[in-house]
Each structure stands twice: as structure tokens, then as C-alpha cells.
Amino acid sequence: MTQADMAGSVVAITGAARGIGRATAEAFARAGAKVAIGDLDAERAKVTADELTHAVGAAVIGLPLNVADTASFTGFLDSAERQLGPLNVLVNNAGIMPTGEFLAEKPAMTELQIDVNIRGVVNGSRLAGQRFAERGRGHIVNIASIAGLTGEPGLATYCGTKHFVIGFTEALHRELHPAGIGVTMVLPGFINTELAAGTRPPAWSRALAMREPQDVAAGIVAAVIRDARTITVPATMGVLLKATRLLPGRLRLAAVDALGWGDVFTAPDQAQREKYHRRLAGEQ
Ligand code: NAI
């Protein structure tokens, strides 16, 4: 999609009531798109849509959505198309990241991560992909994570779900791109949202690893315009990761621990994590 095509195009974003999704909705609206925000927190999706409509002067609507439920996802895309027109871009952004060691994780929380982070992306890719295939155009953006390339203690299930998103999205790109459908994978590092609250990389690496949701949002809009296959935000973290992956396995893990990365998710700020975990408990 060229920058000029962006004006008047229709973009749907999951989990966009707050965080990276909200910033992405704003960035697309500022680029001239009409935007449908879908979120489990339907009330907040509406408030966010109203705020962005007011701030940007663009058409932004807020709709209820549970990405794990196929019927809900179909209803979301149908409503978005009825109100805004045929969909051009779907951003599969909704995701959850509880922290803590795997054996202490409640099975229901494991299931919830699989439901939202995996089933949600699969549902969205299929339902939007079918619409795009019929029209011979469209763009799917899947938000994975740097954690989809590593295995972090305190984040086992989450890492597993994001590894899935990476493999799945790479395969989708190879299947759909020849048919004229864009597929972009996004690998954010540490982004300042409620999901990541209380998890902080070691002090020496913060400037390299931490960014604001607006930085990811700008990267996503640019990636859709230039039809990028994958982006890492911040790009410096992608370079750092590639460098450590040149080391043999055991040495790499020893280096990661020596650099102070070993306990980022096992020893976060508990008060901040509890606040986020309470929100997730309400979403079960
Ligand atoms: P956030 O917690 O700020 O926002 C996530 C939104 O998704 C919330 O509004 C929540 O209500 C919604 N949501 C949760 N379950 C849902 C469901 N079943 N259906 C519809 N909406 C649902 O999170 P953040 O940080 O904005 O994360 C967005 C994406 O970015 C996630 O996929 C996350 O894994 C990924 N990511 C985030 C990073 C970070 O450091 N914040 C780093 C790497 C990836």
C-alpha cells in the first residue's frame, strides 16, 4: 500500500483500547485511515475511539471483541466493514503476558495465553485472510515479540506462544505474499505499557531495549506502506539479539545471564506485576 492509498483505507486493530494497539490506531488515523478498534474491554474501546476521533478528526470506532472466539471475531470484522467499508489491514495485536515460573502458573492462565496469543492470531489471520484472498489485496500484521526468539525464565508459556506467532507468520507470508497479500511480523522489545509494567532490562541496556508504544506504531504504519516482511522495535535490540545468537548455545545463555538478563521476568517489581495480573484475572 502506498502512502497515498492509506488515505480512506480501513484498518482493524485487536486489543487497541490501550497500549501498543491504541498508539497504532492513532498512527493509522493520523495517516488518513479509518480505524476499527476491537477489545475485550468494550467500554474502554469505545472511550479510546471517541478520544482518537476527537484528537485526530478521523473516523475511529470502538467495538467489542474476544479474539479467541471465532464468532466474536467474525462479528467484529463484519461490523467494521459495515460501518467503515471493505477492510484493507488487520493488525493482530491483542496479547497477554503474565510473569512467573511455569510450575506456579495456574492451568487456566496457561490456557488463556494460548487462547489470546495463539488462537486470536490464528482466528484473525484466517478470517481477514479469506476476505483479502477473495479481493486479491489486503495486509495482515501479526505482533509477535523478541520473546518469540528466546526462552526467558518466568515467561515460558508466553515465549512459546510468541514462537508460534513467528513461525506461523513466516509461513503465512510465504503462502499469501505471492497472491498479493502483505504479511508483516512485528518484534517489539520492551515497550512502556501495562503488559510490561515492572519488568525492566538491566540498566546498561535500557536505552537499547526500551521504547514507547508510539515507536512501535510508527514502525507498523511504515511497514505496511513499504510492505515489510518483518520489523524489530527498537531495531538496535534486533542487532543485539543477532549478535548473541552467533554464539554456541551454552555460551549464549551464559552470556545472557552475565549481561544481567537472567532474572528480568523472575524478579520483576511485584507490586506492578500484581496490578497487571489482577487485570488479567478479570479477563478470565
Ligand atoms: P496491553 O496490556 O497494554 O494491551 C493489550 C490489550 O489487549 C488490552 O486492551 C486488552 O484488554 C486486550 N485484550 C486482551 N485479551 C483480549 C481478547 N481476548 N480479545 C480482545 N482484546 C483482548 O498490552 P501491549 O503491551 O499493548 O501489548 C500488545 C501486543 O504487543 C501483545 O501481543 C504483546 O504480547 C505484544 N508485545 C508487547 C511488548 C511490551 O513490552 N509491551 C513487547 C513485545 C510484544
Side-chain angles (χ1 to χ4, degrees):
M1 183 188 290
T2 64
Q3 189 134 22
D5 292 338
M6 186 65 79
S9 67
V10 176
V11 179
I13 309 173
T14 71
R18 54 168 76 73
I20 293 170
R22 178 190 167 120
T24 305
E26 176 161 5
F28 273 112
R30 288 197 187 279
K34 295 179 273 184
V35 182
I37 287 175
D39 204 288
L40 198 60
D41 188 342
E43 223 168 276
R44 186 148 173 172
K46 282 212 164 56
V47 171
T48 298
D50 288 348
E51 285 171 0
L52 294 183
T53 300
H54 189 70
V56 184
V60 183
I61 58 171
L63 298 166
L65 168 66
N66 180 359
V67 292
D69 178 337
T70 317
S72 167
F73 216 134
T74 302
F76 166 63
L77 294 180
D78 285 345
S79 295
E81 294 203 313
R82 222 174 16 250
Q83 293 183 56
L84 302 178
L87 188 68
N88 298 97
V89 180
L90 173 69
V91 183
N92 285 310
N93 163 77
I96 59 169
M97 189 187 81
T99 42
E101 287 178 7
F102 176 66
L103 294 183
E105 182 172 281
K106 293 210 169 76
M109 189 48 81
T110 308
E111 291 303 318
L112 191 63
Q113 289 176 80
I114 293 169
D115 270 350
V116 181
N117 300 359
I118 295 182
R119 290 205 172 87
V121 173
V122 169
N123 283 340
S125 298
R126 179 180 287 120
L127 295 172
Q130 285 166 341
R131 291 168 201 234
F132 295 158
E134 272 172 24
R135 301 165 193 162
R137 59 163 179 77
H139 201 118
I140 297 169
V141 179
N142 288 342
I143 313 294
S145 170
I146 294 272
L149 294 169
T150 65
E152 303 300 329
L155 220 53
T157 305
Y158 180 80
C159 283
T161 65
K162 293 298 185 178
H163 276 254
F164 173 93
V165 175
I166 289 178
F168 175 73
T169 307
E170 183 164 311
L172 267 194
H173 184 275
R174 295 174 68 187
E175 288 186 12
L176 299 181
H177 201 257
I181 298 166
V183 180
T184 299
M185 173 164 70
V186 181
L187 303 172
F190 282 79
I191 313 300
N192 184 16
T193 69
E194 288 175 24
L195 172 143
T199 65
R200 279 161 75 78
W204 69 267
S205 66
R206 281 182 200 149
L208 283 177
M210 296 175 86
R211 290 292 182 276
E212 294 299 318
Q214 289 73 16
D215 298 314
V216 185
I220 292 173
V221 173
V224 169
I225 289 171
R226 67 186 166 86
D227 192 18
R229 187 179 59 84
T230 175
I231 59 163
T232 305
V233 185
T236 41
M237 206 167 165
V239 175
L240 197 71
L241 200 74
K242 274 191 192 128
T244 59
R245 292 188 87 80
L246 293 175
L247 299 169
R250 258 189 221 180
L251 202 58
R252 172 170 61 86
L253 295 180
V256 165
D257 285 344
L259 290 170
W261 281 84
D263 60 0
V264 172
F265 301 103
T266 50
D269 179 320
Q270 285 304 342
Q272 291 199 54
R273 292 316 291 162
E274 266 166 35
K275 200 169 156 206
Y276 175 69
H277 288 160
R278 272 200 302 277
R279 196 190 97 200
L280 289 189
E283 290 175 8
Q284 263 174 28

